Amino acid sequence: ITRAQRNRVLASGGAMDPVVITSIDGFATLKLEAGYAGAIGVVFDGVCETAVNEYDGVDWTSTLRTSDASLAISKAITDGTPVTAGTTAAAYVASLAAQMGLSVGPLTATNLVGYAFPRTYVPGPVRCRDELNELLGGLECEWWIEDSTLYVTNFGEPLPLPPIVLTNVPTVAGMMLLDRPRQAEGGGLEVRTLLAAQMQLGRAVNVVTADVAGAYRVDSIRHQIDNRGGDFSTTARLTSLLPLGGILQ
């Protein structure tokens, strides 16, 4: 795998390397899908920035540095279109996302839905990400990008999606935990399940075990995949959605 140079990819019509699907400013798009028979999910959908190939014993290994919408985050500038009085914050966020080349997740955060611009406002030119930081920070919202989609929630609140049940109790329907949940450094829980591509940042989860019971939000995700006999697992860091969190003994 070699880093794709934009002019070479365009000149070859993509025939230079079947791994390269498209190229934007020298970055090859990269999609990683993994899972089990009949249950393949997208683990990552972004761009490959660099590739380092090394000979290790009897194997060649390739280390890829990837990012999700990094070009959009760093380069997108507001187009200067006036934001007229009465425009909702959600509509303006959707406009900024479009200028960054992103799709949007559910824009239903109550702080976002409840605000409209009281007077006409002419943005920029400034970076779209700076506009998002200023607007959403003032509304006590947080935002992130996952698989080229922009998500917004109130601070500390989950996405408006049904919670995922994580359990090791045979009588409870849900996604089975591989280990007992453990207390994470700085609070919260760390849990490990079979590979779960559907686990999203900001997703609400209900943890049900013999010694833990509570509602949590996913704040970080790590997937581990090994086709040579290792684990197919997902490790998530969870923050409690309840004042006292779960019960951990």
Coordinates of all heavy atoms in Angstrom, one line a residue, residues 35-76:
G35 N -16.6 -7.9 11.1 CA -17.7 -8.5 11.8 C -17.8 -10.0 11.6 O -16.7 -10.6 11.4
Y36 N -19.0 -10.5 11.6 CA -19.1 -11.9 11.5 C -20.1 -12.2 10.3 O -20.7 -11.3 9.8 CB -19.8 -12.5 12.8 CG -19.0 -12.0 14.0 CD1 -19.5 -10.8 14.7 CD2 -17.9 -12.6 14.5 CE1 -18.8 -10.3 15.8 CE2 -17.2 -12.1 15.6 CZ -17.7 -11.0 16.2 OH -17.0 -10.5 17.3
A37 N -20.1 -13.5 9.9 CA -21.0 -13.8 8.7 C -22.4 -13.3 8.9 O -23.0 -13.6 9.9 CB -21.0 -15.3 8.6
G38 N -22.8 -12.5 7.9 CA -24.2 -11.9 8.0 C -24.3 -10.7 8.9 O -25.4 -10.2 9.0
A39 N -23.2 -10.3 9.5 CA -23.3 -9.1 10.4 C -22.1 -8.3 10.3 O -21.4 -8.0 11.3 CB -23.5 -9.6 11.9
I40 N -21.7 -7.9 9.0 CA -20.6 -7.0 8.8 C -21.0 -5.6 9.0 O -22.1 -5.1 8.5 CB -20.1 -7.2 7.3 CG1 -19.7 -8.7 7.1 CG2 -18.9 -6.3 7.1 CD1 -18.6 -9.2 8.0
G41 N -20.2 -4.8 9.7 CA -20.5 -3.4 10.0 C -19.3 -2.5 9.7 O -18.2 -3.0 9.6
V42 N -19.6 -1.2 9.5 CA -18.5 -0.3 9.2 C -17.9 0.2 10.5 O -18.5 0.7 11.4 CB -19.1 1.0 8.5 CG1 -18.0 2.0 8.3 CG2 -19.6 0.6 7.1
V43 N -16.6 -0.1 10.7 CA -15.8 0.3 11.9 C -15.2 1.7 11.7 O -15.2 2.5 12.6 CB -14.7 -0.8 12.1 CG1 -13.8 -0.3 13.3 CG2 -15.3 -2.1 12.5
F44 N -14.8 2.0 10.5 CA -14.2 3.3 10.2 C -14.5 3.7 8.7 O -14.4 2.8 7.9 CB -12.7 3.3 10.5 CG -12.0 4.6 10.1 CD1 -12.0 5.6 11.0 CD2 -11.4 4.7 8.9 CE1 -11.4 6.8 10.7 CE2 -10.7 5.9 8.6 CZ -10.7 7.0 9.5
D45 N -14.8 4.9 8.5 CA -15.0 5.5 7.1 C -14.4 6.9 7.1 O -14.9 7.8 7.6 CB -16.5 5.5 6.8 CG -16.7 5.9 5.3 OD1 -15.7 6.1 4.6 OD2 -17.8 5.8 4.9
G46 N -13.1 7.0 6.5 CA -12.5 8.2 6.5 C -11.4 8.3 5.4 O -11.6 7.8 4.3
V47 N -10.2 8.8 5.7 CA -9.2 8.9 4.8 C -7.9 8.4 5.4 O -7.7 8.4 6.6 CB -8.9 10.4 4.3 CG1 -10.1 10.9 3.6 CG2 -8.5 11.3 5.4
C48 N -7.0 7.8 4.5 CA -5.7 7.4 4.8 C -4.7 8.5 4.5 O -4.5 8.9 3.4 CB -5.3 6.1 4.1 SG -3.7 5.5 4.4
E49 N -4.0 9.0 5.6 CA -3.1 10.1 5.4 C -1.7 9.6 5.1 O -1.0 10.2 4.2 CB -3.1 11.0 6.6 CG -4.4 11.6 6.9 CD -4.4 12.5 8.1 OE1 -3.4 12.5 8.9 OE2 -5.3 13.3 8.4
T50 N -1.2 8.6 5.8 CA 0.1 8.0 5.5 C 0.0 6.5 5.7 O -0.8 6.0 6.4 CB 1.2 8.5 6.5 OG1 0.8 8.2 7.8 CG2 1.3 10.0 6.4
A51 N 0.9 5.8 5.0 CA 1.1 4.3 5.1 C 2.5 4.0 5.3 O 3.4 4.4 4.4 CB 0.5 3.7 3.9
V52 N 2.9 3.3 6.3 CA 4.3 2.8 6.5 C 4.3 1.3 6.4 O 3.6 0.6 7.2 CB 4.8 3.3 7.9 CG1 6.2 2.8 8.1 CG2 4.8 4.8 8.0
N53 N 5.2 0.8 5.5 CA 5.2 -0.7 5.3 C 6.6 -1.2 5.9 O 7.6 -0.6 5.6 CB 5.2 -1.0 3.8 CG 4.0 -0.4 3.1 OD1 2.8 -0.6 3.5 ND2 4.2 0.5 2.1
E54 N 6.5 -2.2 6.7 CA 7.7 -2.7 7.3 C 7.7 -4.3 7.3 O 6.7 -4.9 7.3 CB 7.7 -2.3 8.8 CG 7.8 -0.8 9.0 CD 7.8 -0.5 10.5 OE1 6.8 -0.8 11.2 OE2 8.8 0.1 11.0
Y55 N 8.9 -4.8 7.1 CA 9.1 -6.3 7.1 C 9.3 -6.7 8.6 O 10.2 -6.3 9.3 CB 10.3 -6.7 6.3 CG 10.4 -8.1 6.0 CD1 9.4 -8.8 5.3 CD2 11.5 -8.9 6.4 CE1 9.5 -10.2 5.0 CE2 11.6 -10.2 6.2 CZ 10.6 -10.9 5.5 OH 10.7 -12.2 5.2
D56 N 8.4 -7.7 9.1 CA 8.5 -8.1 10.4 C 8.5 -9.6 10.5 O 7.4 -10.3 10.3 CB 7.3 -7.6 11.2 CG 7.3 -8.0 12.7 OD1 8.3 -8.5 13.1 OD2 6.2 -7.8 13.3
G57 N 9.7 -10.2 10.6 CA 9.8 -11.7 10.6 C 9.4 -12.2 9.2 O 10.1 -11.9 8.2
V58 N 8.3 -13.0 9.1 CA 7.9 -13.6 7.9 C 6.8 -12.7 7.2 O 6.3 -13.1 6.2 CB 7.5 -15.0 8.0 CG1 8.6 -15.9 8.5 CG2 6.3 -15.1 9.0
D59 N 6.4 -11.7 7.9 CA 5.3 -10.9 7.4 C 5.7 -9.4 7.0 O 6.6 -8.9 7.6 CB 4.2 -10.7 8.6 CG 3.7 -12.1 9.0 OD1 3.4 -12.9 8.1 OD2 3.5 -12.3 10.2
W60 N 5.0 -8.9 6.1 CA 5.0 -7.5 5.8 C 3.8 -6.9 6.6 O 2.7 -7.4 6.6 CB 4.8 -7.2 4.3 CG 6.1 -7.2 3.6 CD1 6.5 -8.3 2.8 CD2 7.1 -6.2 3.5 NE1 7.7 -8.0 2.2 CE2 8.1 -6.7 2.6 CE3 7.2 -5.0 4.0 CZ2 9.2 -6.0 2.3 CZ3 8.3 -4.2 3.7 CH2 9.3 -4.8 2.9
T61 N 4.1 -5.8 7.4 CA 3.0 -5.1 8.1 C 2.9 -3.7 7.6 O 3.9 -3.1 7.2 CB 3.3 -5.1 9.6 OG1 4.5 -4.4 9.9 CG2 3.4 -6.5 10.1
S62 N 1.7 -3.2 7.5 CA 1.4 -1.9 7.0 C 0.7 -1.1 8.2 O -0.3 -1.6 8.7 CB 0.5 -1.9 5.8 OG 1.2 -2.5 4.7
T63 N 1.3 0.0 8.6 CA 0.7 0.9 9.6 C 0.1 2.1 8.9 O 0.8 2.8 8.2 CB 1.7 1.3 10.6 OG1 2.3 0.1 11.2 CG2 1.0 2.1 11.7
L64 N -1.2 2.2 9.0 CA -1.9 3.3 8.4 C -2.3 4.4 9.4 O -2.9 4.1 10.4 CB -3.2 2.8 7.7 CG -3.1 1.6 6.8 CD1 -4.4 1.2 6.2 CD2 -2.0 1.9 5.7
R65 N -2.1 5.6 9.0 CA -2.5 6.8 9.8 C -3.8 7.3 9.1 O -3.7 7.7 8.0 CB -1.5 7.9 10.0 CG -2.0 9.1 10.8 CD -1.0 10.1 10.9 NE -1.5 11.3 11.6 CZ -0.8 12.4 11.8 NH1 0.5 12.5 11.4 NH2 -1.4 13.4 12.4
T66 N -4.9 7.3 9.8 CA -6.2 7.7 9.2 C -6.8 8.8 10.0 O -6.5 9.1 11.2 CB -7.1 6.5 9.2 OG1 -7.4 6.1 10.6 CG2 -6.5 5.3 8.5
S67 N -7.8 9.5 9.4 CA -8.5 10.5 10.1 C -9.9 10.6 9.5 O -10.1 10.1 8.4 CB -7.8 11.9 10.0 OG -7.7 12.3 8.6
D68 N -10.8 11.2 10.2 CA -12.2 11.3 9.8 C -12.5 12.8 9.6 O -12.6 13.6 10.5 CB -13.1 10.8 11.0 CG -14.5 10.5 10.5 OD1 -14.9 11.0 9.4 OD2 -15.2 9.7 11.1
A69 N -12.6 13.1 8.3 CA -13.0 14.5 7.8 C -12.0 15.5 8.3 O -12.4 16.7 8.6 CB -14.4 14.8 8.4
S70 N -10.7 15.2 8.4 CA -9.7 16.1 8.9 C -9.6 17.3 7.9 O -9.3 18.4 8.4 CB -8.4 15.4 9.0 OG -7.9 14.9 7.8
L71 N -9.6 17.1 6.6 CA -9.5 18.2 5.7 C -10.7 19.2 5.9 O -10.5 20.4 5.8 CB -9.5 17.7 4.2 CG -8.3 16.9 3.8 CD1 -8.4 16.4 2.4 CD2 -7.1 17.8 3.9
A72 N -11.9 18.6 6.0 CA -13.1 19.5 6.2 C -12.9 20.3 7.5 O -13.3 21.5 7.5 CB -14.3 18.6 6.3
I73 N -12.4 19.7 8.5 CA -12.3 20.4 9.8 C -11.3 21.5 9.7 O -11.5 22.6 10.2 CB -11.9 19.4 10.9 CG1 -13.0 18.4 11.2 CG2 -11.5 20.1 12.2 CD1 -12.6 17.3 12.1
S74 N -10.2 21.3 9.0 CA -9.1 22.2 9.0 C -9.2 23.3 7.9 O -8.7 24.4 8.1 CB -7.7 21.5 8.8 OG -7.7 20.9 7.6
K75 N -9.9 23.0 6.8 CA -9.9 24.0 5.7 C -11.2 24.7 5.4 O -11.2 25.7 4.7 CB -9.4 23.2 4.4 CG -7.9 22.8 4.5 CD -7.5 22.2 3.2 CE -6.0 21.8 3.3 NZ -5.5 21.3 2.0
A76 N -12.3 24.1 5.8 CA -13.6 24.7 5.4 C -13.8 26.1 6.0 O -13.7 26.2 7.2 CB -14.7 23.7 5.8

